[in-house]
Amino acid sequence: MHDKVIIVVGATGGIGSALTRKLAPTGAQLILTARDAIRLTTLADDLPGSILTIPCDITDPQQVDTLIKKAVAEFGQIDVLVNAAGAGILKPYNNLEPADLDKMLDVNLKGSFYTTQAAAEEMQKRKSGHICNVIGILGKHSMATAAAYSASKFGVVGFSKCIAEELKRFGIKFTLFYFGGVDSPFWDNVNLKVDRKKMLSPETAANAIFFALSAEPQAVPMEINIQPDSHLFF
């Protein structure tokens, strides 16, 4: 992991912040991005080493382009992209407003697409790279009240697998992560009765991502599915 240039999108979220804390001591060159510049700075100040923070709204392709250009200007390359940003709206289908669907598609689907597309362009030049897209279990399985959210996440799975096919001849790996409920800020504004004590911890999710990034070059963990035993999907 030492000296690898790693972009963590959604770095101030539950999974993103847990991952950055695990990566920072390894000597990786970290670029942390999220919308809130103050929270980014606060996070970076608590980490060892030199951390580059770049505020970015991933729903804006121009801001994503600037993010990637700044990362390359600073470090010369991008070895890893981790898409850990996301938003959640869980409502019965007939209560969903157009704005709800727009938000799910803009943040979860389009945002992940823009960052994947931009980072992959740089990786392709070097014929090397690893893209990690954090999907969530509702990108693989359906659940009542998750129509808009799952639509966005199933979309991320679709484009990830298509782009992976296009890029495998360039040595670029993809890993998709299907985590079950993770006790993160995602649930703060969700109006469902859930027992967060029985959920996965952000550290468990971060450990899985770290494992994928640490795998031997010839080993490609294409999908990692981890769920709490209190709520399993098969």
Side-chain angles (χ1 to χ4, degrees):
M1 209 71 68
H2 186 72
D3 285 338
K4 278 191 176 181
V5 179
I6 302 175
I7 298 178
V8 180
V9 180
T12 58
I15 296 174
S17 59
L19 178 62
T20 60
R21 292 188 179 95
K22 191 167 183 65
L23 289 172
T26 69
Q29 304 293 330
L30 293 182
I31 302 107
L32 309 183
T33 186
R35 287 178 296 181
D36 191 322
I38 295 176
R39 290 179 63 194
L40 271 177
T41 300
T42 301
L43 174 63
D45 287 345
D46 288 338
L47 299 172
S50 178
I51 309 294
L52 178 63
T53 61
I54 305 176
C56 178
D57 180 351
I58 61 172
T59 68
D60 181 348
Q62 292 185 334
Q63 290 191 42
V64 172
D65 184 59
T66 299
L67 164 68
I68 299 302
K69 286 180 178 177
K70 285 183 177 180
V72 174
E74 181 73 20
F75 297 111
Q77 64 194 58
I78 299 170
D79 296 303
V80 176
L81 170 71
V82 179
N83 271 316
I89 294 176
L90 301 179
K91 294 181 180 180
Y93 79 94
N94 52 350
N95 288 345
L96 287 166
E97 301 289 341
D100 296 329
L101 181 58
D102 287 343
K103 183 176 182 179
M104 293 297 90
L105 297 180
D106 287 345
V107 176
N108 296 339
L109 179 57
K110 293 181 182 179
S112 294
F113 186 93
Y114 295 146
T115 54
T116 297
Q117 185 182 48
E121 283 290 301
E122 289 299 325
M123 293 175 178
Q124 187 172 336
K125 296 175 184 176
R126 299 180 58 250
K127 296 185 177 181
S128 176
H130 194 167
I131 295 175
C132 296
N133 285 337
V134 178
I135 311 292
I137 197 60
L138 295 182
K140 182 185 283 285
H141 295 281
S142 59
M143 186 182 82
T145 75
Y149 180 75
S150 283
S152 66
K153 291 297 191 173
F154 270 74
V156 178
V157 175
F159 84 65
S160 296
K161 291 185 176 182
C162 290
I163 296 176
E165 284 293 324
E166 295 182 52
L167 294 177
K168 61 185 180 182
R169 64 191 179 96
F170 295 100
I172 299 172
K173 300 182 288 188
F174 274 71
T175 306
L176 306 184
F177 297 87
Y178 301 96
F179 298 128
V182 177
D183 184 15
S184 71
F186 173 94
W187 296 100
D188 291 348
N189 298 311
V190 172
N191 293 321
L192 291 179
K193 290 183 179 180
V194 293
D195 187 351
R196 293 172 65 162
K197 294 180 181 178
K198 294 183 178 180
M199 291 182 174
L200 303 175
S201 70
E203 289 72 25
T204 296
N207 287 341
I209 299 171
F210 190 89
F211 165 79
L213 297 180
S214 305
E216 296 177 1
Q218 68 273 22
V220 183
M222 299 168 65
E223 296 187 344
I224 293 180
N225 184 338
I226 302 177
Q227 301 171 58
D229 60 7
S230 60
H231 195 183
L232 296 177
F233 287 97
F234 287 98

